[in-house]
Amino acid sequence: MPFAGGSSPAILVSGLKKFYGSAAAVDGVDLEVPRGSFFGFLGPNGAGKSTTIRILTGLIPADGGSVEILGFKLPAQELAIKSHIGLVPDESLLFDRLTGAEFLEFVGRMYGLARPVAIERARGLLDLFQLQIDRKIIGEYSKGMRKRVAMAASLIHHPELFLMDEPFEGVDAVGARLMKDILHDQVKRGATIFLTTHVLEVVERLCDRVAIIDKGKIVTSGTLEELRAGGESLEDAFVRMVGAGQPRERLDWL
């Protein structure tokens, strides 16, 4: 069932700040993610991507600025926000002693689904993600399988917004293709996807809008076409914008 949508952006962030000691992990970030978009959030290691997504999910508090998600304000309406989002975290927050079916049923129940509905949806998602493994507990899953079950869990309550931190990390080509197809279907029905990844090829294939963060600040935001307006590849534009294209020292012996 498609979403009715709304006039507010899926994500609206203004002046967002987060400090660890005296160091700013996020330093005055402004960000707007339109509803129904497939949004790539890029940056080098330590740029502030994961910190930003943890603030958006309510896992850590911001030290300054404002956040609105689907028209709701953080932190005042945090519970309402969580009921409308699906999360695929960088470090899979899974219960290793449960089977995939038990975990998905648990997540469904946490989102308020009746038990028969949660069980039915869990079975359907296990089939969809090719995770029908007899009584195998999640602790025995490979990293790629853990990512698949995490994505399955993010879908069970039919969310309007997905927040995904490196969702394809450790996933093989077949599993990644399956996950990409499912995400495309979600965007077609009106959902919004906010994705962090280091794999620029994934962004070029999936995303229609991109923001790049470096040293805690947004250096650019716009459509893929705007970022590549000069004929550059996304990789060339990314390297230029984060200042990583300077001549590097060479080792004589290497």
Side-chain angles (χ1 to χ4, degrees):
M1 180 185 299
F3 293 118
S7 58
S8 61
I11 299 173
L12 183 62
V13 172
S14 179
L16 191 66
K17 291 180 179 288
K18 181 64 182 179
F19 294 92
Y20 292 105
S22 60
V26 177
D27 191 7
V29 163
D30 297 325
L31 195 63
E32 183 172 331
V33 178
R35 292 188 188 230
S37 63
F38 206 135
F39 198 99
F41 192 50
L42 310 178
N45 291 330
K49 301 187 304 298
S50 292
T51 299
T52 299
I53 210 166
R54 287 179 186 134
I55 293 171
L56 295 179
T57 57
L59 292 175
I60 58 174
D63 293 324
S66 63
V67 178
E68 289 187 22
I69 296 178
L70 300 169
F72 300 106
K73 296 181 183 295
L74 265 179
Q77 297 172 293
E78 182 177 344
L79 288 179
I81 289 170
K82 288 184 175 180
S83 69
H84 291 278
I85 65 173
L87 172 65
V88 179
D90 183 22
E91 297 178 2
S92 297
L93 303 175
L94 309 177
F95 295 162
D96 286 353
R97 302 307 299 175
L98 298 181
T99 66
E102 290 168 343
F103 177 71
L104 292 179
E105 180 189 341
F106 168 77
V107 172
R109 297 287 284 138
M110 288 292 291
Y111 279 111
L113 300 180
R115 190 177 183 206
V117 175
I119 291 173
E120 181 183 3
R121 290 190 182 183
R123 288 172 179 165
L125 286 165
L126 288 171
D127 286 337
L128 182 63
F129 282 89
Q130 300 172 9
L131 286 168
Q132 285 290 12
I133 306 161
D134 291 340
R135 304 305 300 172
K136 190 172 187 179
I137 61 174
I138 291 173
E140 298 172 351
Y141 281 17
S142 67
K143 186 169 187 177
M145 290 165 60
R146 291 173 68 89
K147 283 290 186 180
R148 279 198 249 177
V149 79
M151 185 176 287
S154 77
L155 286 158
I156 197 165
H157 58 299
H158 198 250
E160 295 179 55
L161 170 66
F162 293 87
L163 301 172
M164 300 187 162
D165 199 356
E166 298 286 352
F168 303 109
E169 185 180 15
V171 181
D172 62 30
V174 174
R177 178 60 179 270
L178 173 66
M179 291 163 68
K180 290 172 189 175
D181 289 345
I182 292 168
L183 292 180
H184 268 303
D185 289 342
Q186 296 308 300
V187 173
K188 286 178 182 177
R189 72 174 173 85
T192 307
I193 295 176
F194 184 82
L195 165 78
T196 76
T197 181
H198 287 106
V199 185
L200 298 185
E201 181 186 0
V202 167
V203 175
E204 289 192 290
R205 290 175 63 89
L206 295 180
C207 297
D208 49 68
R209 302 186 68 87
V210 172
I212 297 176
I213 186 171
D214 187 33
K215 299 181 179 67
K217 297 178 181 290
I218 300 294
V219 295
T220 191
S221 182
T223 66
L224 271 178
E225 289 75 16
E226 289 169 343
L227 263 66
R228 299 182 300 191
E232 291 179 300
S233 68
L234 179 59
E235 180 181 16
D236 289 339
F238 176 83
V239 170
R240 172 174 55 79
M241 290 177 187
V242 301
Q246 303 301 320
R248 58 183 173 83
E249 182 180 347
R250 298 182 181 275
L251 299 175
D252 292 338
W253 58 268
L254 189 59

